[in-house]
Amino acid sequence: VWGVVNRRRAEAAEDRVSLERDRAQQSRAEAERLVTFLLDDLYQQLEPTGRIEIVDGLAKRALAYFAALPAEFRDDRSERYRAIALGRLGAALSQQGKTLEAEEPLREAEELFVRLRAQGDNSVETAVSLAGVLRQQSRNAYLQNRSALSVETGKRGAALIAPVAGAPSSSSVARFEYGRTAMNLGFV
């Protein structure tokens, strides 16, 4: 009888631990989404003002968080958020005239998005984010007077986002990103 009681207590404790672990995972995912949203929103608000260095610091903090994240907590969602942070860091560096420094985070962001898509992530969010990274790489190459690379990279971004932007159910974000990419390339 005593063994059965202890076993039930142990099972109940395991259930509570499992429930708390699930809650912690949900909280972590929400925190990552919030940080990424703030980073993205802040970038869009500060880009026209030229105060983009604030985004640089926030992106670096977000990336430090993702680097310290234990492997068992990393999933496709956190990798997507990390790629978004890398893209924003690269864009912020490029906007500050640090085009050579911007290449590494932009390249890494592209690789992460490409890997996520290869693993089956065909979400509009990932496609739009990848197109945004390619657009920024194109702009970065242009700022470095590498016109051929700029056009080639921009065309890849436009080709990637065109089907998403042209779909009847496309989001305004996808259409906007397509418009920005096409304008950068002189298509519009």
Side-chain angles (χ1 to χ4, degrees), residues 84-138:
I84 290 169
L86 283 163
R88 286 306 183 203
L89 174 61
L93 291 169
S94 183
Q95 293 276 337
Q96 295 174 62
K98 301 175 183 177
T99 58
L100 293 176
E101 195 178 333
E103 288 180 5
E104 179 62 25
L106 290 171
R107 183 196 53 74
E108 192 175 344
E110 179 187 5
E111 289 174 359
L112 280 170
F113 284 129
V114 167
R115 184 176 15 189
L116 288 168
R117 288 178 56 87
Q119 293 171 350
D121 181 350
N122 294 314
S123 67
V124 171
E125 179 185 21
T126 300
V128 168
S129 295
L130 176 55
V133 166
L134 291 171
R135 180 182 50 77
Q136 188 59 49
Q137 285 177 330
S138 173

Side-chain angles (χ1 to χ4, degrees), residues 121-179:
D121 181 350
N122 294 314
S123 67
V124 171
E125 179 185 21
T126 300
V128 168
S129 295
L130 176 55
V133 166
L134 291 171
R135 180 182 50 77
Q136 188 59 49
Q137 285 177 330
S138 173
R139 186 174 187 280
N140 204 46
Y142 176 79
L143 292 171
Q144 295 175 0
N145 294 321
R146 298 187 296 165
S147 301
L149 178 62
S150 176
V151 170
E152 183 268 322
T153 305
K155 283 182 179 179
R156 283 192 305 132
L160 174 74
I161 198 70
V164 176
S169 63
S170 70
S171 70
S172 59
V173 174
R175 288 191 299 273
F176 178 73
E177 187 59 45
Y178 177 71

Side-chain angles (χ1 to χ4, degrees), residues 16 49 71 77 79 99 102 127 130 157 161 176 180 182:
R16 283 192 303 275
T49 68
R77 182 182 50 234
E79 287 297 285
T99 58
L130 176 55
I161 198 70
F176 178 73
R180 285 174 61 172

Side-chain angles (χ1 to χ4, degrees), residues 35-46 55 88:
V35 166
T36 304
F37 171 77
L38 290 174
L39 180 62
D40 208 35
D41 190 51
L42 189 61
Y43 178 84
Q44 290 175 13
Q45 296 291 326
L46 293 176
V55 174
R88 286 306 183 203

